[in-house]
Amino acid sequence: MRNRIYEKNLEALKIKLPDFWEKIEEIRQKTNENTLLKVQSQVGRNGEDIVIAYCGDKEYYLSGKYAPEQMAQREAAKIQQIDMGTVLVVIGLSDGRVIRNILEKIKKGVVLFVYEPSIEIFLHTLEHYDISRFLEEDYTYLIVDDINGTELRTVLDTGIAIETISKLEIMVQGNYSILFGKKIKHVLKTIKQSINQLKLNWNTLRYFEEDSVYNIIRNYKYLNNHYSWNSFKNILPEQVPVIVVAAGPSLDKNIEQLKEEKG
């Protein structure tokens, strides 16, 4: 029988990430059959739950060994600025304690990304610890490597803007750098790529700003008789899929794929 915490998290997940919610049972079964990392909770000396990841014959404490809540408060306090415009990237969901303490400090206008490299840790946390508030907030993003890890760059590009680069903060939770070193390097590289692309776009915009304004003004006279998105409204039944194609260099790469699409 499902526990109350798991049900609460699932309800929040259903709204936040419906694709997650639809696949979660299938993912749980596959993970239980093929897992390489074992994750367990046990009661620590002060009565609080502690989370341990077992990899081979080694064990790694993910939330502190003796006083996990105090440790989580200390980790959250390391964030230098959580004011408007701050972008936080936390590598490691762990048991959600650090995230919960960060949420207590966050003010309006902050973006919080959480990247969890382990599907095993994510499922364990989903079943044992209440992370519903994190899932319910509009300004939070969750990436779990084996579920939507391929969307990392897209999600980062959505949340990071040119004016917030200087307020970017990155935190790696305890023992994650040992367990998931390669994946963390990939995340840091992806963040760097996202920032570099923003800078490139900004410099290009500045370089062509005079030409852009001039072209916009010249093109105004064509707008009245031009197609717009509204022109396509109600043309096709809702159940018919549509692919929007625009001219550009990627069209040459994708043309064979477009030929294969049917219906």
Side-chain angles (χ1 to χ4, degrees):
M1 185 174 179
R2 291 175 174 173
N3 62 61
R4 186 176 178 183
I5 290 176
Y6 183 59
E7 291 289 355
K8 186 176 182 181
N9 287 335
L10 277 187
E11 284 301 312
L13 194 65
K14 182 178 181 179
I15 298 171
K16 182 80 169 181
L17 296 163
D19 290 344
F20 269 41
W21 178 80
E22 291 176 358
K23 300 174 183 176
I24 202 70
E25 288 301 325
E26 178 185 348
I27 292 168
R28 285 180 71 197
Q29 291 177 6
K30 288 183 179 179
T31 303
N32 289 336
E33 294 170 0
N34 305 313
T35 182
L36 298 175
L37 188 75
K38 302 289 185 181
V39 186
Q40 294 180 359
S41 292
Q42 64 184 41
V43 179
R45 293 184 180 180
N46 66 347
E48 295 181 62
D49 275 7
I50 56 176
V51 182
I52 307 172
Y54 297 91
C55 186
D57 58 351
K58 294 184 178 180
E59 59 182 35
Y60 300 89
Y61 291 86
L62 300 182
S63 55
K65 191 172 183 179
Y66 301 112
E69 187 59 36
Q70 290 182 19
M71 187 216 72
Q73 292 172 3
R74 289 195 301 270
E75 289 298 305
K78 291 179 182 178
I79 301 295
Q80 297 298 313
Q81 53 183 7
I82 309 185
D83 53 5
M84 182 173 288
T86 301
V87 177
L88 298 178
V89 180
V90 179
I91 299 176
L93 175 64
S94 189
D95 59 5
R97 280 191 178 97
V98 171
I99 304 301
R100 185 173 65 248
N101 278 276
I102 289 175
L103 289 174
E104 296 297 327
K105 299 174 62 179
I106 281 180
K107 299 176 183 178
K108 186 177 180 181
V110 173
V111 177
L112 173 60
F113 294 98
V114 175
Y115 168 80
E116 176 51 61
S118 167
I119 185 65
E120 293 88 357
I121 294 174
F122 170 69
L123 291 175
H124 182 83
T125 300
L126 201 66
E127 294 178 10
H128 294 86
Y129 301 98
D130 186 355
I131 58 170
S132 57
R133 184 190 165 191
F134 164 73
L135 295 171
E136 289 167 352
E137 296 290 355
D138 293 334
Y139 54 83
T140 59
Y141 297 83
L142 175 63
I143 295 290
V144 179
D145 191 68
D146 290 327
I147 303 179
N148 65 338
T150 56
E151 299 173 15
L152 176 62
R153 175 63 188 275
T154 302
V155 173
L156 287 171
D157 289 346
T158 301
I160 302 177
I162 190 70
E163 61 269 19
T164 61
I165 290 176
S166 62
K167 289 190 172 185
L168 178 65
E169 296 256 1
I170 301 173
M171 170 190 285
V172 181
Q173 295 232 45
N175 278 326
Y176 271 77
S177 57
I178 298 174
L179 285 165
F180 312 108
K182 289 184 179 179
K183 289 185 177 182
I184 290 175
K185 285 182 180 178
H186 170 68
V187 173
L188 296 178
K189 181 180 179 181
T190 304
I191 293 172
K192 185 176 181 181
Q193 289 172 342
S194 182
I195 290 172
N196 288 340
Q197 187 64 52
L198 277 172
K199 291 179 178 179
L200 178 64
N201 292 346
W202 175 251
N203 290 333
T204 302
L205 183 65
R206 290 186 61 188
Y207 184 81
F208 289 108
E209 60 184 346
E210 290 187 11
D211 291 336
S212 297
V213 172
Y214 180 66
N215 287 335
I216 289 171
I217 293 173
R218 288 189 66 190
N219 285 325
Y220 271 143
K221 61 183 180 181
Y222 299 111
L223 291 181
N224 283 338
N225 299 317
H226 204 279
Y227 289 112
S228 72
W229 287 109
N230 291 331
S231 305
F232 301 104
K233 189 173 182 180
N234 298 326
I235 287 181
L236 290 174
E238 290 185 4
Q239 66 270 25
V240 175
V242 173
I243 299 176
V244 179
V245 180
S250 64
L251 183 57
D252 291 335
K253 300 176 184 178
N254 300 326
I255 192 70
E256 295 303 322
Q257 181 182 344
L258 289 171
K259 289 179 181 178
E260 295 175 2
E261 298 298 334
K262 306 296 181 184

